[in-house]
Amino acid sequence: MDDMPAIRASGIRKRFGELEVLRGVSFDVRRGSVVSMIGASGSGKSTLLRCINRLEAPTEGEVYIDGVPMGFVEDRGGRRRARSLAEINRLRRDLGMVFQQFNLWPHMTALGNVIEAPMRVRGLPRAEAVALGEAALEQVRLAEKRDAYPAHLSGGQQQRVAIARALAMQPKAMLFDEATSSLDPELTEEVLAVMRDLAQRGTTMIVVTHEMRFAREVSDEVMFLHDGVIEESGPPGQVFGAPRSERCRQFLSKFIGQAR
Amino acid sequence: MFSDALRESVDLSLFWDYREVMLSGLAFNFHVFAASATAAIALGLGAALLRVAQALPFRVLGTLHVETFRNAPDYIMLVWVHFVLPLLLGAALGTRIEFHPFASAVIALGLVYSGYYAETFRAGIQSIPRGHLEAGRACGMSERQILWRIVMPQVVRRMLPEGLNQLVSLFKATTIVSLITVPDLMYRVSMVTATEMKPLPLYTGAALLYFAVVFAAASLVRLASERWRRRILA
Ligand SMILES: Nc1ncnc2c1ncn2[C@@H]1O[C@H](COP(=O)(O)OP(=O)(O)OP(=O)(O)O)[C@@H](O)[C@H]1O
Ligand SMILES: [Mg+2]
């Protein structure tokens, strides 16, 4: 039971019309580990994350969360049937997602954003959701901004609220899609610090990022995605220090000075 | 300095003498307004949701609704609903049908303004960034929860100024219901004119009354909602 990966992607393919964006991606994420996903723009990183929590349905392949398939259920006779949207919604609670554009709901305060899903989706009573939400805001060091509306928060603060919103659902794993890419450099650090913190506490994370230093320091494993396949993967020391793939070497050479 | 005719036409004493008759007429304007506004907003939201639906038949239905009613002059719609629609329905059902004037007024104005509201709602719904919906889905929210908790609260704030203008138009449009004998303020004005033979001061009085009501109500709503509405903006 303990060697069951928190997330398993198995043979994921995704096609948008003629364009095949993912061409057979398989990997495991061990519980409590951090996997960084790097690769050029258009290589399919976002699509892969979105296939994992099924914002996109993979054309082929399956994602397992703690061994439970996201896309189908098997009855006792071994017959498969596709999951309903309601069942998928239920499984999605277990995966927190953080977007490049924060995507906070502007008509709710920071705390309102954070307690919305615990109340509506998990059905927690308000007081319990607030306690959970305040703890989550505390964790991203924004307890004092609980009553602020997103329009009055900096980008870094908004992204931290978005992280708290995902954490408040107490997910099994967190997915970060370029969480710092739309932030000014001085705001990037405060978000990365929160992510480092989460990693240290043993949160299972998949992090799509262009922050090579972060990937190198924090990840247990780094995957280089190229053209819809994992071209190279391994411990950060190996991928950054001695990449085997020529493409990976080329990609990393653009970040010289950042990672090494 | 002023001609007698002009002086008489702005003299409000005659209107004042009939104030109770006039105010009870205005009450009919309010009733028609409230009922048709409710119908217009409900139908408009329904049509807007059809227009942004995934399935093509729904979208076609929504577009049909909008184009039919938005392009119908309210005056003609009123007459048509009151006089033609009962005949059509009667023929279909094989009985004699008659609409109460009040019902006809509400149906006609409700339908016409639902066309406008549908477009306002649709624009509002489509202006909500996709990412807001995806953030909801990623938290496990259902599409219904996303609609009512994330989309609509923002839509209402965004469309409030335009929606309010449409309410003002709708209230002004209630002045045509006397055409099918709803006893509203305009109806009373023509009744009193028939006995007093002095239409101009009565119309002046009615104009001022309508203006005062619309201006006061619209200003009040704007004032009360502006802060709440703007909080979501930077
Ligand atoms: N919904 C969609 N419909 C059609 N094509 C899509 C869709 N989503 C993504 N794509 C295409 O899939 C390819 C991979 O996109 P994706 O966003 O996954 O790349 P990425 O690695 O995240 O890039 P970036 O670093 O720019 O975020 C791109 O060519 C993109 O245009
Ligand atoms: Mg991307």
Side-chain angles (χ1 to χ4, degrees):
Chain A
M1 194 64 201
D2 234 309
D3 53 355
M4 169 100 67
I7 299 174
R8 161 166 289 174
S10 162
I12 303 290
R13 289 174 175 271
K14 179 65 187 180
R15 187 187 285 283
F16 292 112
E18 287 293 281
L19 181 71
E20 189 162 43
V21 176
L22 297 175
R23 302 182 296 131
V25 177
S26 303
F27 61 89
D28 284 354
V29 181
R30 272 178 297 109
R31 199 164 302 146
S33 70
V34 176
V35 171
S36 286
M37 202 73 76
I38 60 174
S41 179
S43 57
K45 306 179 297 294
S46 296
T47 306
L48 180 55
L49 276 195
R50 296 164 58 83
C51 281
I52 290 174
N53 71 356
R54 254 191 142 72
L55 286 179
E56 307 281 1
T59 315
E60 253 178 67
E62 189 51 86
V63 172
Y64 301 83
I65 308 299
D66 273 347
V68 178
M70 281 287 273
F72 66 86
V73 271
E74 217 160 62
D75 64 15
R76 259 163 295 163
R79 269 185 314 243
R80 289 181 174 192
R81 89 173 154 75
R83 282 192 194 277
S84 68
L85 189 57
E87 289 173 304
I88 289 172
N89 281 337
R90 207 175 167 81
L91 289 170
R92 273 186 186 144
R93 304 174 187 190
D94 292 337
L95 296 170
M97 183 149 186
V98 177
F99 302 84
Q100 182 176 343
Q101 300 301 335
F102 328 141
N103 292 333
L104 290 184
W105 302 312
H107 57 297
M108 298 180 188
T109 62
L111 186 66
N113 269 274
V114 174
I115 65 174
E116 180 67 15
M119 281 173 63
R120 309 277 157 188
V121 178
R122 289 175 62 193
L124 296 185
R126 190 178 181 85
E128 214 170 303
V130 167
L132 205 63
E134 284 175 336
L137 285 173
E138 187 76 49
Q139 206 174 338
V140 299
R141 295 163 214 168
L142 278 176
E144 77 285 1
K145 293 289 185 191
R146 50 168 279 168
D147 295 322
Y149 283 88
H152 299 286
L153 297 173
S154 73
Q157 291 171 330
Q158 288 189 49
Q159 190 61 297
R160 282 147 66 200
V161 172
I163 293 173
R165 174 172 68 183
L167 289 175
M169 288 297 280
Q170 303 181 308
K172 291 179 173 155
M174 293 279 286
L175 313 175
F176 292 85
D177 191 0
E178 299 196 32
T180 59
S181 289
S182 48
L183 294 175
D184 295 337
E186 67 268 25
L187 298 179
T188 299
E189 264 326 302
E190 66 186 52
V191 173
L192 290 180
V194 165
M195 291 168 65
R196 273 202 177 84
D197 216 48
L198 288 175
Q200 255 149 30
R201 290 169 188 235
T203 314
T204 309
M205 298 165 48
I206 302 182
V207 182
V208 169
T209 188
H210 290 299
E211 297 288 333
M212 295 306 155
R213 180 201 295 275
F214 177 86
R216 181 168 205 166
E217 288 172 2
V218 177
S219 329
D220 300 291
E221 190 171 5
V222 177
M223 294 180 193
F224 170 67
L225 205 62
H226 177 80
D227 216 1
V229 293
I230 296 176
E231 172 101 357
E232 171 132 10
S233 70
Q238 181 205 308
V239 173
F240 289 111
R244 282 174 300 220
S245 132
E246 180 53 35
R247 290 208 186 91
C248 185
R249 210 185 325 251
Q250 270 176 17
F251 173 76
L252 288 172
S253 68
K254 293 176 196 134
F255 293 90
I256 281 181
Q258 211 197 105
R260 306 170 219 201
Chain B
M1 198 172 138
F2 295 117
S3 69
D4 283 351
L6 181 57
R7 199 171 308 126
E8 188 194 282
S9 68
V10 297
D11 176 9
L12 294 176
S13 57
L14 181 63
F15 192 79
W16 181 251
D17 291 342
Y18 283 97
R19 60 188 177 276
E20 274 172 30
V21 177
M22 296 303 176
L23 282 180
S24 66
L26 187 64
F28 272 92
N29 290 93
F30 280 126
H31 294 153
V32 171
F33 168 74
S36 49
T38 307
I41 290 172
L43 285 175
L45 177 58
L49 291 177
L50 287 178
R51 287 202 78 179
V52 301
Q54 302 268 328
L56 185 65
F58 286 150
R59 293 209 302 271
V60 170
L61 214 64
T63 307
L64 215 63
H65 179 103
V66 169
E67 294 309 333
T68 308
F69 296 120
R70 195 178 51 163
N71 294 316
D74 36 22
Y75 192 100
I76 290 170
M77 195 67 172
L78 187 68
V79 172
W80 194 86
V81 166
H82 191 59
F83 296 108
V84 183
L85 191 56
L87 293 181
L88 283 178
L89 286 178
L93 299 173
T95 56
R96 210 177 107 83
I97 292 184
E98 222 172 285
F99 285 175
H100 192 280
F102 184 85
S104 299
V106 170
I107 294 172
L109 292 178
L111 284 177
V112 169
Y113 278 79
S114 76
Y116 297 128
Y117 268 106
E119 278 306 89
T120 311
F121 274 120
R122 184 190 56 77
I125 291 169
Q126 288 179 336
S127 75
I128 307 301
R130 262 191 88 71
H132 292 188
L133 318 189
E134 294 193 332
R137 287 184 195 124
C139 292
M141 292 173 82
S142 67
E143 296 303 304
R144 175 187 292 256
Q145 286 173 326
I146 289 170
L147 177 67
W148 291 111
R149 296 290 306 166
I150 297 174
V151 176
M152 288 314 293
Q154 294 189 64
V155 168
V156 169
R157 285 170 173 87
R158 285 182 189 220
M159 66 180 272
L160 208 64
E162 193 182 330
L164 199 56
N165 287 342
Q166 284 163 351
L167 283 186
V168 168
S169 301
L170 174 56
F171 185 73
K172 292 193 290 189
T174 63
T175 54
I176 63 171
V177 298
S178 58
L179 196 69
I180 56 168
T181 72
V182 176
D184 78 326
L185 178 54
M186 293 318 290
Y187 185 85
R188 310 289 165 115
V189 166
S190 12
M191 288 297 107
V192 175
T193 299
T195 53
E196 298 282 347
M197 305 305 281
K198 282 187 193 161
L200 297 184
L202 294 173
Y203 276 101
T204 303
L208 288 174
L209 189 55
Y210 276 126
F211 171 82
V213 164
V214 170
F215 182 76
S219 308
L220 214 68
V221 174
R222 269 191 204 104
L223 207 69
S225 62
E226 203 49 19
R227 241 176 76 85
W228 170 78
R229 196 177 76 76
R230 291 199 162 272
R231 199 162 53 196
I232 68 169
L233 312 169

Coordinates of all heavy atoms in Angstrom, one line a residue, chain A residues 16 19 21 39-48 56 100 177-178 208 210 225, ligand 1:
Chain A
F16 N -5.7 17.8 -29.8 CA -6.7 18.8 -30.1 C -6.9 18.8 -31.6 O -6.1 19.4 -32.3 CB -6.2 20.2 -29.6 CG -6.1 20.3 -28.2 CD1 -4.9 20.5 -27.5 CD2 -7.3 20.4 -27.4 CE1 -4.8 20.6 -26.1 CE2 -7.2 20.6 -26.0 CZ -6.0 20.7 -25.4
L19 N -3.8 18.3 -33.9 CA -2.6 18.5 -33.2 C -2.5 17.5 -32.0 O -3.4 17.5 -31.1 CB -2.6 19.9 -32.7 CG -1.3 20.4 -31.9 CD1 -0.1 20.4 -32.8 CD2 -1.6 21.7 -31.2
V21 N -0.8 16.9 -28.8 CA 0.0 17.7 -27.8 C 0.7 16.8 -26.9 O 1.9 17.1 -26.5 CB -0.9 18.7 -27.1 CG1 -0.1 19.5 -26.1 CG2 -1.6 19.7 -28.1
G39 N 10.3 22.6 -19.6 CA 10.2 22.4 -21.1 C 9.8 23.7 -21.8 O 9.3 24.6 -21.1
A40 N 10.1 23.7 -23.1 CA 9.8 24.9 -23.8 C 8.3 25.2 -23.9 O 7.5 24.4 -23.6 CB 10.4 24.8 -25.3
S41 N 8.0 26.5 -24.3 CA 6.7 26.9 -24.5 C 6.0 26.0 -25.6 O 6.6 25.8 -26.6 CB 6.6 28.3 -24.9 OG 5.3 28.7 -25.1
G42 N 4.8 25.5 -25.3 CA 4.2 24.7 -26.3 C 4.5 23.2 -26.2 O 4.0 22.4 -27.0
S43 N 5.4 22.8 -25.2 CA 5.7 21.4 -25.2 C 4.7 20.6 -24.5 O 4.7 19.3 -24.6 CB 7.1 21.3 -24.4 OG 6.9 21.8 -23.1
G44 N 3.6 21.2 -24.0 CA 2.5 20.4 -23.4 C 2.4 20.4 -21.9 O 1.6 19.6 -21.4
K45 N 3.2 21.2 -21.2 CA 3.2 21.1 -19.7 C 1.8 21.4 -19.1 O 1.4 20.7 -18.3 CB 4.3 22.1 -19.2 CG 5.6 22.0 -19.8 CD 6.6 23.0 -19.2 CE 6.3 24.4 -19.5 NZ 6.4 24.8 -20.9
S46 N 1.2 22.5 -19.6 CA -0.1 22.9 -19.0 C -1.1 21.8 -19.3 O -1.9 21.4 -18.5 CB -0.5 24.2 -19.6 OG 0.3 25.3 -19.2
T47 N -1.1 21.4 -20.6 CA -2.0 20.4 -21.0 C -1.9 19.1 -20.1 O -2.9 18.5 -19.7 CB -1.8 20.0 -22.5 OG1 -1.9 21.2 -23.2 CG2 -2.9 19.1 -23.0
L48 N -0.7 18.8 -19.8 CA -0.4 17.6 -19.0 C -1.1 17.8 -17.6 O -1.8 16.9 -17.1 CB 1.1 17.3 -18.9 CG 1.5 16.1 -18.0 CD1 0.8 14.8 -18.5 CD2 3.0 15.9 -18.1
E56 N -9.0 18.9 -18.8 CA -9.0 18.3 -20.1 C -9.1 16.8 -19.9 O -8.5 16.2 -19.1 CB -7.8 18.6 -20.9 CG -7.4 20.0 -21.0 CD -8.2 20.8 -22.1 OE1 -9.1 20.2 -22.7 OE2 -8.0 22.0 -22.2
Q100 N -1.4 30.1 -13.4 CA -0.5 31.3 -13.7 C -1.2 32.6 -13.5 O -0.6 33.5 -12.9 CB 0.0 31.2 -15.2 CG 0.9 32.3 -15.5 CD 1.5 32.1 -17.0 OE1 1.4 31.0 -17.6 NE2 2.0 33.2 -17.5
D177 N 0.8 25.4 -12.0 CA 1.1 25.7 -13.4 C 1.7 27.1 -13.6 O 1.0 28.1 -13.6 CB -0.2 25.6 -14.3 CG 0.2 25.6 -15.8 OD1 1.4 25.7 -16.1 OD2 -0.8 25.6 -16.6
E178 N 3.1 27.2 -13.6 CA 3.8 28.4 -13.7 C 3.2 29.5 -12.8 O 2.9 30.6 -13.2 CB 3.7 28.9 -15.2 CG 4.4 28.0 -16.1 CD 4.7 28.6 -17.5 OE1 5.0 29.8 -17.5 OE2 4.6 27.9 -18.5
V208 N 5.0 22.9 -12.5 CA 5.5 23.4 -13.9 C 6.1 24.7 -13.7 O 5.5 25.6 -13.1 CB 4.3 23.5 -14.8 CG1 4.7 24.2 -16.1 CG2 3.7 22.1 -15.1
H210 N 9.5 27.7 -14.8 CA 10.7 28.2 -15.5 C 11.7 28.7 -14.5 O 12.7 29.2 -14.9 CB 10.3 29.3 -16.5 CG 9.5 28.9 -17.6 ND1 10.0 27.9 -18.5 CD2 8.3 29.2 -18.1 CE1 9.1 27.7 -19.5 NE2 8.0 28.4 -19.2
L225 N 10.0 18.0 -20.6 CA 8.9 17.6 -21.5 C 9.3 18.3 -22.9 O 9.7 19.5 -22.9 CB 7.6 18.2 -21.1 CG 6.3 17.5 -21.6 CD1 6.3 16.0 -21.1 CD2 5.1 18.2 -21.1
Ligands
LIG1 N1 -7.7 23.9 -25.9 C1 -6.8 23.8 -26.9 N2 -7.2 23.7 -28.2 C2 -6.2 23.6 -29.1 N3 -4.9 23.6 -28.9 C3 -4.5 23.7 -27.6 C4 -5.4 23.8 -26.6 N4 -4.7 23.9 -25.4 C5 -3.4 23.9 -25.8 N5 -3.3 23.7 -27.1 C6 -2.0 23.6 -27.8 O1 -1.2 22.6 -27.3 C7 0.1 22.9 -27.3 C8 0.7 22.8 -25.9 O2 0.1 23.8 -25.1 P1 0.5 23.9 -23.5 O3 -0.3 25.1 -23.0 O4 0.2 22.6 -22.9 O5 2.0 24.2 -23.6 P2 3.0 24.6 -22.4 O6 4.1 23.7 -22.4 O7 2.2 24.8 -21.1 O8 3.5 26.0 -22.9 P3 3.8 27.4 -22.0 O9 5.1 27.3 -21.5 O10 3.7 28.5 -23.1 O11 2.7 27.5 -21.0 C9 0.3 24.3 -27.9 O12 0.6 24.2 -29.2 C10 -1.1 24.9 -27.7 O13 -1.4 25.8 -28.8

